[in-house]
Amino acid sequence: MFALPCAGSLLGMWPYLPDLLARPVPRYTSFPTAAEFAPGSGAAEYLSAVAAIPVGSDISLYVHIPYCEQICFYCGCNTGRAGRASRLTAYLNALLAEIDLVASALDGRANIRRIAFGGGSPNAIAPTDFVRLVDALTCAFATGRPEMSVELDPRGFSLKWAEVLATIGVTHASLGVQTFSTQIQHAIGRVQPRKLILDTTALLRDAGVRSLNFDMMYGLPGQTENDLTESLIQAIDLGPDRVALFGYAHVPHLVPRQRQIPDDKLPDQKKRFEMAWSGFARLRSAGYASVGFDHFAKPGDGLAIASRNGTLRRNFQGFTDDRQEILLGLGASSISMFPGLIVQNEKNAGRYRMRVSAGQHPLSGGIVRSPDDRRRAIIIENILCNGKADISAVTLGLAGQERLQEFARQGLLDVSHDVLTLSAKALPYARGIAAIFDPYRTQEKRRFSNAI
Ligand code: SF4
């Protein structure tokens, strides 16, 4: 856990050191990152890895629905407009076929402890289709009573959806809120009145959701610090158990839909930094614990508990209290993680369907993690999750040591007896510090987002 100041002593802002924020860095939801996946590789290793899962292992599933009713201008996810019902039906049929393929490879050897539904927006499909999907998963895998979570777009939520979630026993949900400012909502192509968020929150609580997350954003077009504060006050008022506060990553050369957001409307790096601090201070003052570098949770929530206990993890869904070492991804673009392997499914939904209908595992590429990758993955995960890592298992070159010194000179970290410890004011620099241990990041092109 980062050595964070208590809410009452949030007097000093983080130091603003633009040189140390200048380098774009990955979000490290895995190491190696998806940028290192080799196209076409990993299929044979995937089958071996699934076959090698020991009988009785606990594992997790992630199911991807790459569709949304409406596409937001800022979105960097693998998603498309839901459009015709036939498109969703064809995708769901492929997903059901992939579930059978993976379940037969697994052959009942593992217990499914968690199932996360993400996207896109899982509620782009009909509630009855969601029931069909959950039935297929529970029949195909030895699920028992797994913890289930779902990402939701409030714009497509309904009483029927709430009833389905209650019947299935979904206990964790995440709502894309982003901002309560009507003006900014128009600028990002996501118009959702406060009443809609309020009603959705009430429906989810009544349905038995005990851990509710709000995704919020800073760095949006035309957004000021006051706008962010106002939105966070409204969010806190609705009592989410968790808040993820993300900086908008503007990379229109990689995500064409972001061209709808003019560059000159975006806050500069200094303003983004001030917003990140202001959001942090606001949420901490409201009693939320800081989790990793961009999540917040009420002290009794599982995420805050994991952060306190040093058991917080980071995977493709961000910071998580899921401790399983194996995550199997289902659906277009989903990623499967094993200790020695990361593989990704075909991203394009059409090609994904074709591969599955030909009876193939629809993998598009991945990476076998070398022993060195695995040692570095532990260090990077510990820096980001716990603010502390034993770095004795790897050797840093001269450039890496100099880079470490740059952060140390600013009082952002300390290395003693091979243990690297981040200071409380290092939170916005955590990704930059983690990147020192990433040997793939030597000559970086503009593939990643701002460090803040
Ligand atoms: S609802 Fe979420 S996944 Fe869908 S377009 Fe908007 S931000 Fe992207």
Side-chain angles (χ1 to χ4, degrees), residues 102-182:
V102 175
S104 106
L106 196 57
D107 201 18
R109 278 172 290 111
N111 309 309
I112 310 298
R113 292 295 179 202
R114 295 196 185 202
I115 307 178
F117 297 90
S121 304
N123 59 316
I125 64 175
T128 45
D129 282 334
F130 189 70
V131 174
R132 200 154 66 97
L133 183 56
V134 172
D135 278 350
L137 288 162
T138 45
C139 288
F141 296 99
T143 55
R145 285 189 64 81
E147 179 181 295
M148 282 196 256
S149 61
V150 62
E151 293 172 10
L152 296 165
D153 181 350
R155 294 170 296 180
F157 200 69
S158 60
L159 176 60
K160 181 72 191 159
W161 258 102
E163 287 168 355
V164 159
L165 297 184
T167 307
I168 289 170
V170 172
T171 51
H172 290 57
S174 179
L175 280 186
V177 176
Q178 321 307 358
T179 175
F180 283 95
S181 155
T182 310

Side-chain angles (χ1 to χ4, degrees), residues 68 70-72 74-75 77 79 119-121 153 155 190:
C68 296
Q70 300 169 60
I71 303 295
C72 314
Y74 63 88
C75 177
C77 298
T79 191
S121 304
D153 181 350
R155 294 170 296 180
R190 181 168 196 152

Side-chain angles (χ1 to χ4, degrees), residues 341-376:
L341 177 73
I342 311 174
V343 285
Q344 183 164 31
N345 271 359
E346 172 60 57
K347 287 187 194 172
N348 177 281
R351 284 198 293 272
Y352 164 82
R353 287 202 320 266
M354 277 164 44
R355 297 275 304 276
V356 175
S357 60
Q360 299 169 2
H361 287 281
L363 302 170
S364 66
I367 187 165
V368 174
R369 293 205 261 201
S370 69
D372 187 57
D373 286 338
R374 291 169 67 170
R375 286 191 286 271
R376 289 171 187 272

